[in-house]
Amino acid sequence: FVLASVILLFGSALFASIVEAKVPGTREFLIMPGFDELSKQWQSGSHEERSSSEAAMATSFYASNNPFVAILSGSIAAATFGVGTTVQLYNNGKILGVLANDMARVNKLGFLIVSIAPHGVTELSGMVMSGASGLTLGWALINPGRRERGEALIHAGKSAIILLIVAVILMLMAAPIEGYFSFNPRVPGAVKFAFALATAVFWGLFWTGYGNKTHTKSGPVK
């Protein structure tokens, strides 16, 4: 389900990018209201410097909004047989894809990546985990096996709640990075890229190592 969530999120980004580039008339069906204004701000190639209080307010917003979105994406699956979660992943992915196209047209795709990557590695990981949580619940309802659907949902919920908690934690961790670091014009792009790379390596090692083990009182067991 984690892999399915990754494919849905980034596959949607790739799909929207290709479709919007090849068939410009589809743009109005892919973007949300106010997207063009947001895109123009990004295409300026710069970020306004935030005061310490503004950075704190931004961090507070990200720390409250993003975990809420993660919880919504995961929990809505129980009422929609996973469709709601799939739509959430698709919507987030297509925004990334179309914005990447816009930035590439003005030769500022690198600026977009460097600006998003520092917090995005952690935040998008949280998005993937919340998606996996929802897909777990959705699949339990679609394919309950020999169980009643309610029983299957309860059984799947044990894994889904862990994934959702991890998603919320990741979103909370990404909030101060986004609020203070990613959009700070005083931080060189090379430093942001190095930070993003180090974060990606850390999470890669964590998920394939410590985070991929079951722990008992006697210690970690494969």
Side-chain angles (χ1 to χ4, degrees):
F1 294 114
V2 172
L3 177 60
S5 185
V6 169
I7 292 173
L8 280 170
L9 178 62
F10 294 102
S12 296
L14 181 60
F15 168 77
S17 177
I18 293 174
V19 169
E20 195 265 342
K22 299 295 184 181
V23 189
T26 59
R27 181 182 178 86
E28 62 182 288
F29 300 102
L30 294 171
I31 63 174
M32 59 184 182
F35 178 86
D36 284 331
E37 186 62 32
L38 174 66
S39 179
K40 288 178 182 178
Q41 292 176 11
W42 273 103
Q43 290 176 48
S44 68
S46 63
H47 299 299
E48 292 185 8
E49 187 172 352
R50 292 169 173 168
S51 65
S52 56
S53 60
E54 288 173 333
M57 289 179 63
T59 299
S60 178
F61 171 77
Y62 299 140
S64 58
N65 179 74
N66 294 356
F68 172 77
V69 172
I71 292 171
L72 178 64
S73 179
S75 60
I76 197 174
T80 62
F81 283 70
V83 174
T85 299
T86 301
V87 171
Q88 286 270 28
L89 289 168
Y90 168 73
N91 285 335
N92 284 302
K94 73 177 183 178
I95 290 171
L96 287 174
V98 175
L99 182 58
N101 272 0
D102 289 352
M103 295 299 284
R105 290 191 189 101
V106 294
N107 297 317
K108 290 179 180 175
L109 181 59
F111 172 76
L112 174 69
I113 294 172
V114 166
S115 297
I116 290 178
H119 68 275
V121 171
T122 302
E123 186 177 290
L124 291 177
S125 295
M127 194 177 296
V128 165
M129 291 298 176
S130 68
S133 174
L135 294 176
T136 299
L137 295 176
W139 183 248
L141 291 171
I142 293 171
N143 184 36
R146 295 185 177 182
R147 296 186 174 95
E148 296 290 335
R149 279 198 168 83
E151 183 185 352
L153 188 63
I154 292 172
H155 181 76
K158 297 174 182 178
S159 296
I161 191 64
I162 293 173
L163 288 166
L164 195 55
I165 289 172
V166 171
V168 170
I169 292 172
L170 288 168
M171 291 294 191
L172 289 172
M173 293 176 68
I177 302 173
E178 187 173 4
Y180 286 94
F181 185 79
S182 295
F183 302 138
N184 190 337
R186 292 191 178 187
V187 180
V191 174
K192 293 180 181 179
F193 181 79
F195 179 88
L197 183 61
T199 304
V201 170
F202 170 79
W203 284 122
L205 292 174
F206 179 83
W207 296 124
T208 56
Y210 181 87
N212 195 35
K213 299 178 188 222
T214 300
H215 293 265
T216 66
K217 291 182 179 178
S218 59
V221 179
K222 285 274 188 177

